[in-house]
Amino acid sequence: MAEILKVKDLCKTYVIEKRQNNVLKNVSFSVEEGDMVAIMGPSGSGKSTLLYAVSGMDVPTSGTVLFDGKDITALSANELAEIRLNKMGFIFQQMYMMKNLTILDNIALPALESKSDKATKAEKIKRAEELMRKLSIMEVADNDINEVSGGQLQRACICRSMVNKPKLLFADEPTGALNRTASGEVMEELVKLNEEGTTIMMVTHDAKVAARCKRVLYIVDGNIKGEFISKKKEGEGPQDNERRLNNWLMDLGW
C-alpha cells in the first residue's frame, strides 16, 4: 500500500509565560492507504496536538508532514483550507453542526462549499442522502440538530466527514461523548468505512475502541513509546484483541 501520511521529526512547542512547553518531540510515523490507526496515551501526552498538527489544523514548530505526497507544513492558510475541505474528513468528540440547518443540509454543506467538486447541487445532495441511508439515519434528514440522539448526531458527523470522499479521515475521541451502546454503533460504522477503503486516524482513550483499529501508537510526553499491531487469529473475536491490547498498554504503564 502507498503511504498517505508520512510524519518526520515533528515538534510542537508552546511558550506560556516565557516558559517553553514541548508538547511534541521529534515524532515520526507513517500511515498507509487503507490503514486504521489509533493514537493513545495519558492525558496531556500530546494526542490531540499530534492529530491537529498532522491534519493542518495547527502549525508545527518544526518537522515535515507529507500528506498525499505534499508537505503541508509549507502551504499557505488558503491551500491548507482547500486540502482539509476536499481531501480530509474530520470527526470530533463535540459534534459541531450549524444550528440553523437540518441534518441533511449540515451533511451536504462541505460538498456545496467545495469549488473543486464539479458535481451539480442535486448530485451533491444525493450523495449526502446516500451516506445517510448507509449509516441508517435517513429518517432524521429534515430534523434539527437538537431533535436527534447523540448516536444519530455523531453518525451524521461521519456522513458529513465523508461527503467529499476524503483520502484520510481524522477523528478526535469520536465516541467520547456517547454512551456505550451508541459508542459501539459509531465504531461499527467507522470499521465498515475502513473495510471499504477509507483511511482513518483517530485519537481515543478507550481500549475497546482502539482494539478495533489495525494499529495503535502509544504516546507519552510527546514521544511515541510503542506500536501495537492487531492480529486477529482464526476463531477469535474483538474481545481477544482487546485483551492483548490491554496487556500491552499495562506493560507501557497505562
Side-chain angles (χ1 to χ4, degrees):
M1 286 284 188
E3 286 181 339
I4 185 67
L5 184 70
K6 186 174 181 63
V7 179
K8 185 171 178 59
D9 296 330
L10 191 71
C11 296
K12 180 64 181 181
T13 300
Y14 295 101
V15 178
I16 302 172
E17 296 180 352
K18 298 183 180 180
R19 290 186 178 182
Q20 284 194 348
N21 183 12
N22 301 312
V23 183
L24 299 176
K25 306 168 187 175
N26 297 310
V27 174
S28 299
F29 67 95
S30 61
V31 176
E32 294 185 345
E33 290 181 352
D35 212 345
M36 187 171 184
V37 182
I39 309 295
M40 297 191 74
S43 296
S45 59
K47 302 185 297 296
S48 293
T49 300
L50 177 61
L51 189 80
Y52 280 51
V54 302
S55 62
M57 288 193 291
D58 194 7
V59 180
T61 304
S62 62
T64 57
V65 179
L66 295 178
F67 171 76
D68 200 23
K70 184 176 292 187
D71 184 2
I72 65 172
T73 64
L75 300 181
S76 68
N78 287 339
E79 289 171 327
L80 272 175
E82 185 175 348
I83 284 178
R84 287 197 302 267
L85 177 63
N86 295 296
K87 293 188 176 184
M88 296 176 178
F90 296 90
I91 309 169
F92 303 97
Q93 179 175 350
Q94 299 302 321
M95 294 162 259
Y96 302 107
M97 282 199 165
M98 303 290 287
K99 294 180 180 179
N100 60 326
L101 299 180
T102 66
I103 296 294
L104 175 58
D105 289 340
N106 266 288
I107 291 170
L109 186 60
L112 297 172
E113 289 291 315
S114 175
K115 296 178 181 177
S116 64
D117 187 342
K118 302 306 180 184
T120 65
K121 180 178 178 180
E123 289 170 337
K124 292 175 179 180
I125 295 292
K126 183 179 179 182
R127 191 191 309 159
E129 291 174 339
E130 288 171 351
L131 284 165
M132 292 189 76
R133 289 190 186 93
K134 187 175 181 180
L135 271 72
S136 304
I137 54 169
M138 191 59 204
E139 72 277 8
V140 300
D142 296 325
N143 288 35
D144 293 334
I145 64 171
N146 60 353
E147 296 175 334
V148 298
S149 69
Q152 288 173 321
L153 192 60
Q154 192 62 299
R155 278 183 277 169
C157 289
I158 294 174
C159 292
R160 182 181 58 186
S161 74
M162 293 298 297
V163 75
N164 281 340
K165 304 175 183 177
K167 288 181 172 290
L168 180 55
L169 179 59
F170 292 99
D172 189 5
E173 299 282 7
T175 63
L178 304 176
N179 61 36
R180 180 56 69 183
T181 299
S183 173
E185 292 171 354
V186 166
M187 273 310 299
E188 286 298 332
E189 299 299 344
L190 290 174
V191 169
K192 286 178 188 176
L193 287 174
N194 178 248
E195 289 172 346
E196 292 166 2
T198 301
T199 309
I200 299 174
M201 178 179 171
M202 73 165 68
V203 165
T204 183
H205 67 277
D206 190 335
K208 186 178 287 291
V209 168
R212 304 299 302 275
C213 296
K214 295 175 181 176
R215 299 165 57 206
V216 179
L217 301 178
Y218 189 75
I219 186 170
V220 179
D221 296 331
N223 291 292
I224 293 177
K225 295 296 186 182
E227 178 177 355
F228 177 85
I229 307 293
S230 294
K231 294 180 180 178
K232 187 177 178 181
K233 300 175 184 177
E234 188 175 349
E236 288 189 337
Q239 69 277 8
D240 295 291
N241 195 57
E242 184 184 345
R243 174 179 46 79
R244 281 194 291 271
L245 175 59
N246 274 313
N247 289 338
W248 179 79
L249 289 170
M250 283 190 290
D251 287 341
L252 288 174
W254 173 253

